[in-house]
mmCIF file of all heavy atoms in Angstrom:
data_model
loop_
_atom_site.group_PDB
_atom_site.id
_atom_site.type_symbol
_atom_site.label_atom_id
_atom_site.label_comp_id
_atom_site.label_asym_id
_atom_site.label_seq_id
_atom_site.Cartn_x
_atom_site.Cartn_y
_atom_site.Cartn_z
ATOM 1 N N GLU W 26 0.533 -4.711 -1.019
ATOM 2 C CA GLU W 26 0.617 -5.085 -2.413
ATOM 3 C C GLU W 26 -0.525 -6.081 -2.726
ATOM 4 O O GLU W 26 -1.035 -6.750 -1.780
ATOM 5 C CB GLU W 26 1.949 -5.797 -2.732
ATOM 6 C CG GLU W 26 3.160 -4.863 -2.701
ATOM 7 C CD GLU W 26 3.270 -3.955 -3.879
ATOM 8 O OE1 GLU W 26 2.385 -4.019 -4.764
ATOM 9 O OE2 GLU W 26 4.208 -3.152 -3.935
ATOM 10 N N GLY W 27 -0.908 -6.200 -3.959
ATOM 11 C CA GLY W 27 -1.795 -7.246 -4.339
ATOM 12 C C GLY W 27 -3.262 -7.077 -3.885
ATOM 13 O O GLY W 27 -3.608 -6.084 -3.263
ATOM 14 N N CYS W 28 -4.091 -8.079 -4.203
ATOM 15 C CA CYS W 28 -5.525 -7.974 -3.958
ATOM 16 C C CYS W 28 -6.113 -9.357 -3.886
ATOM 17 O O CYS W 28 -5.706 -10.267 -4.622
ATOM 18 C CB CYS W 28 -6.178 -7.169 -5.097
ATOM 19 S SG CYS W 28 -7.946 -6.916 -4.944
ATOM 20 N N ASN W 29 -7.098 -9.549 -2.996
ATOM 21 C CA ASN W 29 -7.764 -10.851 -2.829
ATOM 22 C C ASN W 29 -9.052 -10.962 -3.646
ATOM 23 O O ASN W 29 -9.663 -12.047 -3.627
ATOM 24 C CB ASN W 29 -8.086 -11.080 -1.356
ATOM 25 C CG ASN W 29 -6.834 -11.452 -0.522
ATOM 26 O OD1 ASN W 29 -5.814 -11.789 -1.102
ATOM 27 N ND2 ASN W 29 -6.952 -11.366 0.785
ATOM 28 N N HIS W 30 -9.438 -9.888 -4.328
ATOM 29 C CA HIS W 30 -10.707 -9.959 -5.080
ATOM 30 C C HIS W 30 -10.495 -10.607 -6.441
ATOM 31 O O HIS W 30 -9.377 -10.757 -6.915
ATOM 32 C CB HIS W 30 -11.266 -8.536 -5.244
ATOM 33 C CG HIS W 30 -11.498 -7.849 -3.932
ATOM 34 N ND1 HIS W 30 -12.278 -8.402 -2.936
ATOM 35 C CD2 HIS W 30 -11.063 -6.632 -3.487
ATOM 36 C CE1 HIS W 30 -12.321 -7.568 -1.916
ATOM 37 N NE2 HIS W 30 -11.596 -6.500 -2.256
ATOM 38 N N SER W 31 -11.580 -10.960 -7.043
ATOM 39 C CA SER W 31 -11.547 -11.589 -8.360
ATOM 40 C C SER W 31 -12.550 -10.893 -9.296
ATOM 41 O O SER W 31 -13.403 -11.534 -9.931
ATOM 42 C CB SER W 31 -11.888 -13.127 -8.261
ATOM 43 O OG SER W 31 -10.958 -13.771 -7.452
ATOM 44 N N CYS W 32 -12.447 -9.567 -9.372
ATOM 45 C CA CYS W 32 -13.362 -8.826 -10.215
ATOM 46 C C CYS W 32 -13.209 -9.256 -11.668
ATOM 47 O O CYS W 32 -12.089 -9.436 -12.113
ATOM 48 C CB CYS W 32 -13.091 -7.333 -10.070
ATOM 49 S SG CYS W 32 -13.297 -6.723 -8.361
ATOM 50 N N ALA W 33 -14.301 -9.388 -12.353
ATOM 51 C CA ALA W 33 -14.318 -10.000 -13.677
ATOM 52 C C ALA W 33 -13.515 -9.196 -14.704
ATOM 53 O O ALA W 33 -13.034 -9.726 -15.672
ATOM 54 C CB ALA W 33 -15.760 -10.190 -14.172
ATOM 55 N N PHE W 34 -13.419 -7.866 -14.500
ATOM 56 C CA PHE W 34 -12.764 -7.037 -15.506
ATOM 57 C C PHE W 34 -11.324 -6.780 -15.197
ATOM 58 O O PHE W 34 -10.635 -6.056 -15.946
ATOM 59 C CB PHE W 34 -13.482 -5.672 -15.608
ATOM 60 C CG PHE W 34 -13.590 -4.943 -14.286
ATOM 61 C CD1 PHE W 34 -12.550 -4.219 -13.774
ATOM 62 C CD2 PHE W 34 -14.760 -5.047 -13.534
ATOM 63 C CE1 PHE W 34 -12.642 -3.550 -12.593
ATOM 64 C CE2 PHE W 34 -14.872 -4.379 -12.320
ATOM 65 C CZ PHE W 34 -13.799 -3.638 -11.863
ATOM 66 N N CYS W 35 -10.748 -7.326 -14.128
ATOM 67 C CA CYS W 35 -9.435 -6.942 -13.610
ATOM 68 C C CYS W 35 -8.460 -8.119 -13.604
ATOM 69 O O CYS W 35 -8.859 -9.246 -13.315
ATOM 70 C CB CYS W 35 -9.634 -6.366 -12.199
ATOM 71 S SG CYS W 35 -8.122 -5.743 -11.430
ATOM 72 N N ILE W 36 -7.172 -7.822 -13.886
ATOM 73 C CA ILE W 36 -6.157 -8.828 -13.823
ATOM 74 C C ILE W 36 -5.066 -8.448 -12.778
ATOM 75 O O ILE W 36 -3.977 -9.054 -12.793
ATOM 76 C CB ILE W 36 -5.511 -9.079 -15.194
ATOM 77 C CG1 ILE W 36 -4.915 -7.754 -15.737
ATOM 78 C CG2 ILE W 36 -6.533 -9.656 -16.183
ATOM 79 C CD1 ILE W 36 -4.079 -7.946 -16.999
ATOM 80 N N ILE W 37 -5.379 -7.522 -11.933
ATOM 81 C CA ILE W 37 -4.382 -7.081 -10.914
ATOM 82 C C ILE W 37 -3.858 -8.239 -10.071
ATOM 83 O O ILE W 37 -2.659 -8.356 -9.848
ATOM 84 C CB ILE W 37 -4.941 -5.955 -10.035
ATOM 85 C CG1 ILE W 37 -5.076 -4.636 -10.837
ATOM 86 C CG2 ILE W 37 -4.072 -5.722 -8.824
ATOM 87 C CD1 ILE W 37 -3.810 -4.060 -11.327
ATOM 88 N N PRO W 38 -4.744 -9.188 -9.571
ATOM 89 C CA PRO W 38 -4.204 -10.286 -8.795
ATOM 90 C C PRO W 38 -3.231 -11.150 -9.576
ATOM 91 O O PRO W 38 -2.282 -11.678 -9.034
ATOM 92 C CB PRO W 38 -5.459 -11.103 -8.419
ATOM 93 C CG PRO W 38 -6.561 -10.058 -8.411
ATOM 94 C CD PRO W 38 -6.224 -9.141 -9.543
ATOM 95 N N GLN W 39 -3.431 -11.236 -10.878
ATOM 96 C CA GLN W 39 -2.511 -11.990 -11.711
ATOM 97 C C GLN W 39 -1.179 -11.265 -11.859
ATOM 98 O O GLN W 39 -0.128 -11.874 -11.965
ATOM 99 C CB GLN W 39 -3.130 -12.222 -13.100
ATOM 100 C CG GLN W 39 -4.366 -13.134 -13.061
ATOM 101 C CD GLN W 39 -5.260 -12.911 -14.267
ATOM 102 O OE1 GLN W 39 -6.373 -12.439 -14.163
ATOM 103 N NE2 GLN W 39 -4.770 -13.246 -15.443
ATOM 104 N N LEU W 40 -1.221 -9.911 -11.904
ATOM 105 C CA LEU W 40 -0.044 -9.148 -12.080
ATOM 106 C C LEU W 40 0.714 -8.945 -10.778
ATOM 107 O O LEU W 40 1.950 -8.973 -10.758
ATOM 108 C CB LEU W 40 -0.431 -7.780 -12.658
ATOM 109 C CG LEU W 40 -1.045 -7.754 -14.053
ATOM 110 C CD1 LEU W 40 -1.452 -6.302 -14.431
ATOM 111 C CD2 LEU W 40 -0.090 -8.302 -15.081
ATOM 112 N N ARG W 41 -0.023 -8.693 -9.677
ATOM 113 C CA ARG W 41 0.620 -8.289 -8.425
ATOM 114 C C ARG W 41 0.399 -9.280 -7.304
ATOM 115 O O ARG W 41 0.873 -9.060 -6.179
ATOM 116 C CB ARG W 41 0.180 -6.878 -7.999
ATOM 117 C CG ARG W 41 0.702 -5.804 -8.948
ATOM 118 C CD ARG W 41 0.284 -4.397 -8.471
ATOM 119 N NE ARG W 41 0.989 -3.389 -9.264
ATOM 120 C CZ ARG W 41 2.087 -2.757 -8.841
ATOM 121 N NH1 ARG W 41 2.577 -3.024 -7.629
ATOM 122 N NH2 ARG W 41 2.656 -1.825 -9.582
ATOM 123 N N GLY W 42 -0.357 -10.376 -7.547
ATOM 124 C CA GLY W 42 -0.501 -11.389 -6.547
ATOM 125 C C GLY W 42 -1.622 -11.082 -5.551
ATOM 126 O O GLY W 42 -2.346 -10.103 -5.660
ATOM 127 N N LYS W 43 -1.732 -11.954 -4.530
ATOM 128 C CA LYS W 43 -2.708 -11.795 -3.495
ATOM 129 C C LYS W 43 -2.285 -10.695 -2.521
ATOM 130 O O LYS W 43 -1.113 -10.237 -2.552
ATOM 131 C CB LYS W 43 -2.894 -13.097 -2.755
ATOM 132 C CG LYS W 43 -3.577 -14.202 -3.557
ATOM 133 C CD LYS W 43 -5.043 -13.842 -3.841
ATOM 134 C CE LYS W 43 -5.761 -14.989 -4.474
ATOM 135 N NZ LYS W 43 -7.183 -14.661 -4.737
ATOM 136 N N LEU W 44 -3.208 -10.270 -1.689
ATOM 137 C CA LEU W 44 -2.944 -9.229 -0.699
ATOM 138 C C LEU W 44 -1.719 -9.567 0.153
ATOM 139 O O LEU W 44 -1.606 -10.678 0.680
ATOM 140 C CB LEU W 44 -4.133 -9.025 0.178
ATOM 141 C CG LEU W 44 -4.018 -7.994 1.311
ATOM 142 C CD1 LEU W 44 -3.935 -6.562 0.744
ATOM 143 C CD2 LEU W 44 -5.179 -8.106 2.305
ATOM 144 N N ALA W 45 -0.800 -8.623 0.260
ATOM 145 C CA ALA W 45 0.364 -8.765 1.105
ATOM 146 C C ALA W 45 0.576 -7.437 1.826
ATOM 147 O O ALA W 45 1.115 -6.503 1.278
ATOM 148 C CB ALA W 45 1.615 -9.122 0.296
ATOM 149 N N SER W 46 0.129 -7.370 3.104
ATOM 150 C CA SER W 46 0.156 -6.125 3.867
ATOM 151 C C SER W 46 1.523 -5.916 4.483
ATOM 152 O O SER W 46 2.196 -6.821 4.960
ATOM 153 C CB SER W 46 -0.888 -6.178 4.975
ATOM 154 O OG SER W 46 -2.177 -6.360 4.466
ATOM 155 N N ARG W 47 1.954 -4.631 4.503
ATOM 156 C CA ARG W 47 3.184 -4.284 5.178
ATOM 157 C C ARG W 47 2.934 -4.224 6.686
ATOM 158 O O ARG W 47 1.854 -4.038 7.149
ATOM 159 C CB ARG W 47 3.628 -2.908 4.725
ATOM 160 C CG ARG W 47 4.042 -2.805 3.254
ATOM 161 C CD ARG W 47 4.441 -1.393 2.881
ATOM 162 N NE ARG W 47 5.609 -0.925 3.677
ATOM 163 C CZ ARG W 47 5.934 0.334 3.830
ATOM 164 N NH1 ARG W 47 5.215 1.299 3.229
ATOM 165 N NH2 ARG W 47 6.999 0.666 4.547
ATOM 166 N N ARG W 48 4.012 -4.420 7.410
ATOM 167 C CA ARG W 48 3.900 -4.305 8.896
ATOM 168 C C ARG W 48 3.457 -2.883 9.278
ATOM 169 O O ARG W 48 3.922 -1.913 8.733
ATOM 170 C CB ARG W 48 5.254 -4.606 9.542
ATOM 171 C CG ARG W 48 5.618 -6.060 9.554
ATOM 172 C CD ARG W 48 7.023 -6.288 10.108
ATOM 173 N NE ARG W 48 7.310 -5.547 11.320
ATOM 174 C CZ ARG W 48 8.306 -5.912 12.174
ATOM 175 N NH1 ARG W 48 9.026 -6.980 11.956
ATOM 176 N NH2 ARG W 48 8.557 -5.166 13.231
ATOM 177 N N ILE W 49 2.582 -2.813 10.266
ATOM 178 C CA ILE W 49 2.019 -1.522 10.670
ATOM 179 C C ILE W 49 3.123 -0.588 11.194
ATOM 180 O O ILE W 49 3.128 0.628 10.903
ATOM 181 C CB ILE W 49 0.907 -1.702 11.737
ATOM 182 C CG1 ILE W 49 0.274 -0.370 12.128
ATOM 183 C CG2 ILE W 49 1.389 -2.430 12.959
ATOM 184 C CD1 ILE W 49 -0.603 0.252 11.093
ATOM 185 N N ASP W 50 4.086 -1.141 11.939
ATOM 186 C CA ASP W 50 5.160 -0.293 12.470
ATOM 187 C C ASP W 50 6.048 0.243 11.366
ATOM 188 O O ASP W 50 6.514 1.381 11.418
ATOM 189 C CB ASP W 50 5.952 -0.989 13.555
ATOM 190 C CG ASP W 50 6.483 -2.337 13.108
ATOM 191 O OD1 ASP W 50 6.006 -2.893 12.106
ATOM 192 O OD2 ASP W 50 7.422 -2.868 13.791
ATOM 193 N N ALA W 51 6.248 -0.555 10.299
ATOM 194 C CA ALA W 51 7.077 -0.101 9.164
ATOM 195 C C ALA W 51 6.319 1.012 8.410
ATOM 196 O O ALA W 51 6.957 2.006 7.986
ATOM 197 C CB ALA W 51 7.374 -1.260 8.240
ATOM 198 N N VAL W 52 5.028 0.847 8.236
ATOM 199 C CA VAL W 52 4.251 1.908 7.574
ATOM 200 C C VAL W 52 4.319 3.213 8.342
ATOM 201 O O VAL W 52 4.552 4.287 7.793
ATOM 202 C CB VAL W 52 2.809 1.425 7.357
ATOM 203 C CG1 VAL W 52 1.943 2.584 6.799
ATOM 204 C CG2 VAL W 52 2.727 0.247 6.413
ATOM 205 N N LEU W 53 4.056 3.091 9.637
ATOM 206 C CA LEU W 53 4.080 4.332 10.498
ATOM 207 C C LEU W 53 5.439 4.947 10.563
ATOM 208 O O LEU W 53 5.545 6.208 10.594
ATOM 209 C CB LEU W 53 3.537 3.960 11.868
ATOM 210 C CG LEU W 53 2.041 3.577 11.953
ATOM 211 C CD1 LEU W 53 1.707 3.061 13.338
ATOM 212 C CD2 LEU W 53 1.158 4.743 11.545
ATOM 213 N N ARG W 54 6.471 4.130 10.546
ATOM 214 C CA ARG W 54 7.844 4.684 10.593
ATOM 215 C C ARG W 54 8.108 5.470 9.282
ATOM 216 O O ARG W 54 8.697 6.556 9.347
ATOM 217 C CB ARG W 54 8.874 3.543 10.750
ATOM 218 C CG ARG W 54 10.255 4.028 11.135
ATOM 219 C CD ARG W 54 11.164 2.835 11.458
ATOM 220 N NE ARG W 54 10.689 2.102 12.583
ATOM 221 C CZ ARG W 54 10.205 0.834 12.521
ATOM 222 N NH1 ARG W 54 10.203 0.207 11.405
ATOM 223 N NH2 ARG W 54 9.780 0.209 13.604
ATOM 224 N N GLU W 55 7.671 4.905 8.185
ATOM 225 C CA GLU W 55 7.883 5.608 6.916
ATOM 226 C C GLU W 55 7.074 6.897 6.883
ATOM 227 O O GLU W 55 7.584 7.938 6.430
ATOM 228 C CB GLU W 55 7.427 4.724 5.738
ATOM 229 C CG GLU W 55 7.616 5.400 4.401
ATOM 230 C CD GLU W 55 7.107 4.571 3.186
ATOM 231 O OE1 GLU W 55 6.764 3.384 3.424
ATOM 232 O OE2 GLU W 55 7.097 5.100 2.081
ATOM 233 N N ALA W 56 5.829 6.859 7.365
ATOM 234 C CA ALA W 56 5.034 8.074 7.398
ATOM 235 C C ALA W 56 5.649 9.161 8.260
ATOM 236 O O ALA W 56 5.702 10.325 7.875
ATOM 237 C CB ALA W 56 3.624 7.745 7.901
ATOM 238 N N GLU W 57 6.121 8.751 9.424
ATOM 239 C CA GLU W 57 6.794 9.699 10.341
ATOM 240 C C GLU W 57 8.028 10.322 9.678
ATOM 241 O O GLU W 57 8.246 11.542 9.784
ATOM 242 C CB GLU W 57 7.154 8.967 11.584
ATOM 243 C CG GLU W 57 7.667 9.848 12.732
ATOM 244 C CD GLU W 57 7.881 9.046 14.003
ATOM 245 O OE1 GLU W 57 8.732 8.118 13.963
ATOM 246 O OE2 GLU W 57 7.253 9.341 15.039
ATOM 247 N N LYS W 58 8.764 9.496 8.987
ATOM 248 C CA LYS W 58 9.979 9.972 8.289
ATOM 249 C C LYS W 58 9.624 10.971 7.215
ATOM 250 O O LYS W 58 10.275 12.023 7.019
ATOM 251 C CB LYS W 58 10.745 8.784 7.741
ATOM 252 C CG LYS W 58 12.011 9.104 6.993
ATOM 253 C CD LYS W 58 12.659 7.822 6.511
ATOM 254 C CE LYS W 58 13.904 8.087 5.684
ATOM 255 N NZ LYS W 58 14.490 6.814 5.149
ATOM 256 N N LEU W 59 8.588 10.696 6.442
ATOM 257 C CA LEU W 59 8.162 11.565 5.357
ATOM 258 C C LEU W 59 7.693 12.919 5.873
ATOM 259 O O LEU W 59 8.091 13.944 5.326
ATOM 260 C CB LEU W 59 7.031 10.890 4.552
ATOM 261 C CG LEU W 59 7.418 9.745 3.629
ATOM 262 C CD1 LEU W 59 6.162 9.004 3.164
ATOM 263 C CD2 LEU W 59 8.232 10.218 2.456
ATOM 264 N N VAL W 60 6.908 12.916 6.927
ATOM 265 C CA VAL W 60 6.401 14.156 7.510
ATOM 266 C C VAL W 60 7.570 14.952 8.084
ATOM 267 O O VAL W 60 7.641 16.167 7.923
ATOM 268 C CB VAL W 60 5.324 13.847 8.578
ATOM 269 C CG1 VAL W 60 4.966 15.129 9.333
ATOM 270 C CG2 VAL W 60 4.099 13.260 7.988
ATOM 271 N N ALA W 61 8.552 14.270 8.726
ATOM 272 C CA ALA W 61 9.703 14.965 9.269
ATOM 273 C C ALA W 61 10.536 15.612 8.155
ATOM 274 O O ALA W 61 11.185 16.635 8.345
ATOM 275 C CB ALA W 61 10.549 14.001 10.058
ATOM 276 N N ALA W 62 10.480 15.057 6.951
ATOM 277 C CA ALA W 62 11.281 15.550 5.826
ATOM 278 C C ALA W 62 10.514 16.642 5.025
ATOM 279 O O ALA W 62 11.022 17.140 4.044
ATOM 280 C CB ALA W 62 11.618 14.409 4.861
ATOM 281 N N GLY W 63 9.323 17.007 5.487
ATOM 282 C CA GLY W 63 8.610 18.099 4.867
ATOM 283 C C GLY W 63 7.320 17.768 4.164
ATOM 284 O O GLY W 63 6.645 18.630 3.614
ATOM 285 N N THR W 64 6.873 16.504 4.208
ATOM 286 C CA THR W 64 5.588 16.134 3.600
ATOM 287 C C THR W 64 4.441 16.743 4.401
ATOM 288 O O THR W 64 4.348 16.579 5.578
ATOM 289 C CB THR W 64 5.418 14.599 3.554
ATOM 290 O OG1 THR W 64 6.391 14.045 2.635
ATOM 291 C CG2 THR W 64 4.058 14.188 3.164
ATOM 292 N N LYS W 65 3.563 17.457 3.679
ATOM 293 C CA LYS W 65 2.387 18.052 4.311
ATOM 294 C C LYS W 65 1.126 17.248 4.003
ATOM 295 O O LYS W 65 0.080 17.492 4.615
ATOM 296 C CB LYS W 65 2.202 19.476 3.793
ATOM 297 C CG LYS W 65 3.372 20.424 4.017
ATOM 298 C CD LYS W 65 3.526 20.792 5.485
ATOM 299 C CE LYS W 65 4.612 21.820 5.677
ATOM 300 N NZ LYS W 65 4.317 23.127 5.084
ATOM 301 N N GLU W 66 1.215 16.329 3.047
ATOM 302 C CA GLU W 66 0.043 15.566 2.639
ATOM 303 C C GLU W 66 0.471 14.083 2.344
ATOM 304 O O GLU W 66 1.327 13.870 1.495
ATOM 305 C CB GLU W 66 -0.609 16.208 1.393
ATOM 306 C CG GLU W 66 -1.821 15.439 0.865
ATOM 307 C CD GLU W 66 -2.386 16.130 -0.363
ATOM 308 O OE1 GLU W 66 -1.680 16.938 -0.982
ATOM 309 O OE2 GLU W 66 -3.528 15.853 -0.705
ATOM 310 N N LEU W 67 -0.138 13.175 3.072
ATOM 311 C CA LEU W 67 0.114 11.742 2.869
ATOM 312 C C LEU W 67 -1.056 11.170 2.107
ATOM 313 O O LEU W 67 -2.202 11.305 2.519
ATOM 314 C CB LEU W 67 0.319 10.999 4.182
ATOM 315 C CG LEU W 67 1.582 11.306 4.970
ATOM 316 C CD1 LEU W 67 1.437 10.750 6.393
ATOM 317 C CD2 LEU W 67 2.787 10.622 4.278
ATOM 318 N N LEU W 68 -0.759 10.455 0.990
ATOM 319 C CA LEU W 68 -1.820 9.783 0.224
ATOM 320 C C LEU W 68 -1.661 8.269 0.418
ATOM 321 O O LEU W 68 -0.721 7.692 -0.111
ATOM 322 C CB LEU W 68 -1.719 10.184 -1.257
ATOM 323 C CG LEU W 68 -1.893 11.690 -1.492
ATOM 324 C CD1 LEU W 68 -0.505 12.336 -1.824
ATOM 325 C CD2 LEU W 68 -2.843 11.966 -2.605
ATOM 326 N N VAL W 69 -2.590 7.690 1.193
ATOM 327 C CA VAL W 69 -2.505 6.238 1.482
ATOM 328 C C VAL W 69 -3.061 5.476 0.300
ATOM 329 O O VAL W 69 -4.188 5.679 -0.127
ATOM 330 C CB VAL W 69 -3.335 5.950 2.773
ATOM 331 C CG1 VAL W 69 -3.281 4.470 3.084
ATOM 332 C CG2 VAL W 69 -2.781 6.777 3.945
ATOM 333 N N ILE W 70 -2.213 4.551 -0.219
ATOM 334 C CA ILE W 70 -2.588 3.823 -1.393
ATOM 335 C C ILE W 70 -2.319 2.313 -1.258
ATOM 336 O O ILE W 70 -1.502 1.913 -0.448
ATOM 337 C CB ILE W 70 -1.876 4.308 -2.683
ATOM 338 C CG1 ILE W 70 -0.338 4.251 -2.484
ATOM 339 C CG2 ILE W 70 -2.285 5.720 -3.030
ATOM 340 C CD1 ILE W 70 0.437 4.450 -3.755
ATOM 341 N N SER W 71 -3.087 1.519 -2.016
ATOM 342 C CA SER W 71 -2.943 0.073 -2.071
ATOM 343 C C SER W 71 -3.875 -0.378 -3.160
ATOM 344 O O SER W 71 -4.493 0.450 -3.887
ATOM 345 C CB SER W 71 -3.337 -0.544 -0.738
ATOM 346 O OG SER W 71 -4.723 -0.352 -0.500
ATOM 347 N N GLN W 72 -4.086 -1.689 -3.293
ATOM 348 C CA GLN W 72 -5.145 -2.159 -4.196
ATOM 349 C C GLN W 72 -6.476 -2.183 -3.488
ATOM 350 O O GLN W 72 -7.545 -2.080 -4.083
ATOM 351 C CB GLN W 72 -4.847 -3.575 -4.732
ATOM 352 C CG GLN W 72 -3.559 -3.660 -5.533
ATOM 353 C CD GLN W 72 -3.571 -2.815 -6.795
ATOM 354 O OE1 GLN W 72 -4.679 -2.491 -7.324
ATOM 355 N NE2 GLN W 72 -2.416 -2.487 -7.323
#
């Protein structure tokens, strides 16, 4: 979630705060679960 940049045209850090990364094992566990449930394409997103 969030972003550490201060781009002049953007207010995302004000809306969503500074960068807050999820634990790598939690991300991989979710990805594994999605693929097991039939996901054929994972779209990795963040700010």
Side-chain angles (χ1 to χ4, degrees):
E26 291 285 0
C28 182
N29 285 345
H30 303 307
S31 301
C32 300
F34 55 81
C35 183
I36 58 171
I37 290 295
Q39 295 156 245
L40 296 176
R41 291 182 170 262
K43 292 292 187 180
L44 178 69
S46 300
R47 295 178 61 197
R48 285 175 45 158
I49 182 73
D50 52 344
V52 173
L53 292 173
R54 194 173 298 115
E55 180 183 353
E57 189 176 60
K58 181 179 175 183
L59 287 168
V60 172
T64 291
K65 302 288 185 67
E66 178 180 19
L67 288 168
L68 299 105
V69 179
I70 58 170
S71 67
Q72 299 297 339

